[in-house]
Amino acid sequence: MANIIDTATNNGSFNTLVAAIQAAGLVDTLKGPGPFTVFAPTDEAFNKLPAGTVDGLLQDIPKLKKILTYHVVSGKVLAADVAKLKTATTVEGSDVKIDASNGVKINDATVATADVAADNGVIHVIDTVLIPA
């Protein structure tokens, strides 16, 4: 298997996410031993942001890092475990809300695909970019 970065890159649906991770200098971290749980927004999720948002974030690395680390939880949390939780503390330090009453939602994002395995954790594909408060 591949690590989280290689798994996301090989998938082809996370080009914006991978570019943002590279710009923020988080590649080595997410290629590290982990384990990590990543709520990974697709390219379509990034496209739903207001025009210019991604370009603006690429110019504001501290804010970009804050948003990206808000998508990561320490440990390997599989879908069956996520569904039992009400919140999870992100690497950024804030909590995300989890609602498993009708599918699984992380804040306002719906988990489209769960449990994409990687050597150093797991990816859950989401349809919306999470923005910390």
Side-chain angles (χ1 to χ4, degrees), residues 77-88 98-101 103-104:
V77 187
L78 297 174
D81 302 316
V82 170
K84 297 175 194 167
L85 302 173
K86 297 287 182 221
T87 62
I98 299 169
D99 178 358
S101 61
V104 176

Side-chain angles (χ1 to χ4, degrees), residues 83 98-106 109-111:
I98 299 169
D99 178 358
S101 61
N102 183 14
V104 176
K105 288 185 85 70
I106 309 300
T110 300
V111 175

Side-chain angles (χ1 to χ4, degrees), residues 47-131:
N47 289 339
K48 293 191 318 191
L49 292 171
T53 301
V54 173
D55 288 338
L57 289 172
L58 292 173
Q59 303 302 315
D60 186 348
I61 299 305
K63 186 172 184 182
L64 180 63
K65 277 187 177 177
K66 181 178 173 84
I67 289 172
L68 291 173
T69 56
Y70 188 65
H71 289 78
V72 181
V73 174
S74 290
K76 185 174 183 178
V77 187
L78 297 174
D81 302 316
V82 170
K84 297 175 194 167
L85 302 173
K86 297 287 182 221
T87 62
T89 302
T90 68
V91 171
E92 180 268 336
S94 304
D95 287 352
V96 288
K97 291 182 304 203
I98 299 169
D99 178 358
S101 61
N102 183 14
V104 176
K105 288 185 85 70
I106 309 300
N107 291 352
D108 295 327
T110 300
V111 175
T113 306
D115 294 345
V116 178
D119 281 347
N120 59 343
V122 63
I123 297 171
H124 301 297
V125 181
I126 57 174
D127 67 352
T128 304
V129 176
L130 305 173
I131 305 291

